[in-house]
Amino acid sequence: MTASTPIRQRRPRRSSLTAKQAVLTLCIALLLSIIAGAFELALDARKMRHEVQNQTQHRLDLVHGTAAEAAFQLNPELATQVVEGLFSGGRVAHVVIRDDFGRSMALRERNVPPDSNWLAHALFGDILHYQEMLVYDLGAASPTQSVGDIEMTLAIDSLARDFMDRSLLIFSLGVFKALAIAALLVVVFHAFITRPLLKVHAAIIDTNPSQPGRWRKPDLSHHVDDELGHLVESLDELLHAFQRGLDQRDQLHQISTIDGLTGIANRRQFDSFLTDSWQRARRSGKPLSVIFIDIDRFKDFNDHYGHVAGDDTLRAIAGALAGVVTRSTDLVARYGGEEFVCVLPDTDLAGARKVAHLIRNAIRALAISHAYSDHADKVTASLGVASAVPASSALTCEQLIEQADSQLYRAKQQGRNRVAWEV
């Protein structure tokens, strides 16, 4: 069986497995980064609340002594210095120091725009206001006493901005880490999974369907004992099973179309080949010729020399025919018994006559002794030739065979060892 390399048409490549895997990995990484970022933001908000409370209390503790002394001495200048120091932090919206009579000694405040940020109010609304009593120590001889109070209110808009800046930084770092992890996963997945799969895919695509057992089995040395390795081994076994099936089919086809004795085409292949050749000639408008060959007095040869010698003679004549009819488009077949036939596409009657004479001479050149022939001392053959142009002829394929057989009969009637054709 002649195997031809099939023409494989590949569909336009829309998206690769690596691209799909990269997008999927990126989406998963971003989703996880959002979830992790939300959790991290919640922890950071809690941490920021503690920091704000601790820092505010620490600042109040630092100025407590000075503020108490200013209230005790009723010193507005000193109180103003304390208020200015607290107000310079940026997060303060209102600071006031009062004496023990409730009179304001120093006051500093700024207009805070109304903030509709519900999240800021939810996170920091309960830690904005601070007020504590100012206690002045008069010395060991006298007990401490309250000399006034200090009150401070934080600006929620400033806290909201600080929180948003920190949140943006945390979220940006989270996204960056997610992208880095996704890129790493894509590279690792491509190296260990996608690339081997693409090698397997390429090997399958390049496999000749008529010879699947000869596929280029990919070398996956790092996946010998895992699922990919098992997949390749299963594919290898499957393709070799296909190859065995094709070989068996070809073997059966050869058995059914090849003559077992002579090794040339048998009657079955001749019938199929002639029908196909007739249809092709009808489409192309070219001639088609048939030559029938019969070995003269072959029954007498078998009766006197034996069937073993007869089989050897049939094989030798088949070889002689194949040596003359060498075009790949022609066919030499054993028609049955001692009869042979040649089908010559694209050959007119004159060309077929020349081939017939070459065959007759080739058989005589074998010089196989035949002492019991009534017309020659060597094995000879009679040949009948018929030719037609199917596109313009009223003949059928069967009638062409009948013409060739009729001319073969005429060659025998005329004395054998000759070529006959219809004039």
Side-chain angles (χ1 to χ4, degrees), residues 365-392:
L366 294 174
I368 301 173
S369 297
H370 190 351
Y372 302 94
S373 175
D374 58 358
H375 65 279
D377 59 351
K378 305 293 182 183
V379 170
T380 61
S382 300
L383 300 91
V385 182
S387 183
V389 180
S392 58

Side-chain angles (χ1 to χ4, degrees), residues 346-379:
D346 301 340
T347 304
D348 58 11
L349 181 60
R353 288 166 48 193
K354 291 180 181 179
V355 174
H357 284 293
L358 290 174
I359 292 174
R360 174 176 170 272
N361 294 333
I363 293 175
R364 292 188 61 183
L366 294 174
I368 301 173
S369 297
H370 190 351
Y372 302 94
S373 175
D374 58 358
H375 65 279
D377 59 351
K378 305 293 182 183
V379 170

Side-chain angles (χ1 to χ4, degrees), residues 120-379:
H121 283 283
L123 293 176
F124 307 112
D126 59 336
I127 61 170
L128 298 177
H129 189 72
Y130 298 85
Q131 184 176 11
E132 63 180 37
M133 187 179 297
L134 297 175
V135 179
Y136 188 72
D137 188 0
L138 298 176
S142 302
T144 58
Q145 64 177 10
S146 173
V147 294
D149 67 277
I150 182 171
E151 183 180 356
M152 183 169 67
T153 302
L154 302 180
I156 193 170
D157 61 333
S158 177
L159 293 177
R161 283 195 302 272
D162 291 346
F163 178 72
M164 291 303 296
D165 292 341
R166 292 173 60 152
S167 300
L168 181 60
L169 178 61
I170 291 173
F171 185 77
S172 299
L173 289 176
V175 172
F176 177 77
K177 289 188 289 186
L179 293 176
I181 293 173
L184 180 61
L185 287 176
V186 169
V187 172
V188 173
F189 195 88
H190 176 78
F192 288 95
I193 304 297
T194 307
R195 187 177 179 185
L197 283 176
L198 293 176
K199 290 176 66 176
V200 175
H201 177 264
I204 294 175
I205 288 295
D206 293 336
T207 299
N208 188 341
S210 63
Q211 296 179 336
R214 297 184 181 180
W215 80 305
R216 293 185 301 104
K217 180 180 177 182
D219 180 20
L220 303 181
S221 55
H222 299 293
H223 299 276
V224 176
D225 296 323
D226 61 13
E227 289 81 356
L228 279 177
H230 296 160
L231 173 64
V232 172
E233 292 301 324
S234 298
L235 280 174
D236 187 61
E237 293 178 4
L238 180 62
L239 292 176
H240 278 89
F242 285 160
Q243 185 65 59
R244 289 192 294 271
L246 292 176
D247 292 342
Q248 291 174 359
R249 181 202 65 183
D250 294 342
Q251 198 171 34
L252 291 174
H253 177 74
Q254 185 176 13
I255 292 174
S256 65
T257 58
I258 300 299
D259 180 64
L261 175 63
T262 61
I264 61 176
N266 61 10
R267 174 71 176 272
R268 180 194 297 271
Q269 188 173 357
F270 162 74
D271 291 338
S272 175
F273 184 85
L274 181 61
T275 301
D276 294 341
S277 299
W278 183 270
Q279 296 300 329
R280 283 194 297 270
R282 181 184 294 276
R283 291 192 298 268
S284 64
K286 295 181 179 180
L288 175 67
S289 298
V290 175
I291 303 174
F292 264 80
I293 305 107
D294 184 81
I295 302 174
D296 296 326
R297 302 297 184 187
F298 189 71
K299 182 179 182 302
D300 295 335
F301 185 92
N302 268 341
D303 291 344
H304 292 88
Y305 292 99
H307 289 285
V308 175
D311 290 345
D312 291 340
T313 299
L314 291 175
R315 281 191 286 266
I317 291 177
L321 293 177
V324 173
V325 183
T326 57
R327 291 193 313 179
S328 60
T329 56
D330 298 340
L331 177 76
V332 175
R334 185 183 179 192
Y335 194 75
E338 69 273 17
E339 286 187 317
F340 295 85
V341 63
C342 297
V343 182
L344 308 175
D346 301 340
T347 304
D348 58 11
L349 181 60
R353 288 166 48 193
K354 291 180 181 179
V355 174
H357 284 293
L358 290 174
I359 292 174
R360 174 176 170 272
N361 294 333
I363 293 175
R364 292 188 61 183
L366 294 174
I368 301 173
S369 297
H370 190 351
Y372 302 94
S373 175
D374 58 358
H375 65 279
D377 59 351
K378 305 293 182 183
V379 170

Side-chain angles (χ1 to χ4, degrees), residues 82-104:
V82 173
V83 169
E84 290 293 338
L86 292 173
F87 199 80
S88 63
R91 287 182 176 177
V92 179
H94 173 83
V95 182
V96 62
I97 297 178
R98 289 182 286 264
D99 60 18
D100 56 346
F101 297 105
R103 295 172 299 190
S104 175

Side-chain angles (χ1 to χ4, degrees), residues 37-52:
F39 181 73
E40 195 170 353
L41 287 178
L43 293 178
D44 186 68
R46 183 177 180 183
K47 179 181 178 182
M48 184 175 175
R49 281 174 56 88
H50 289 302
E51 289 178 356
V52 169

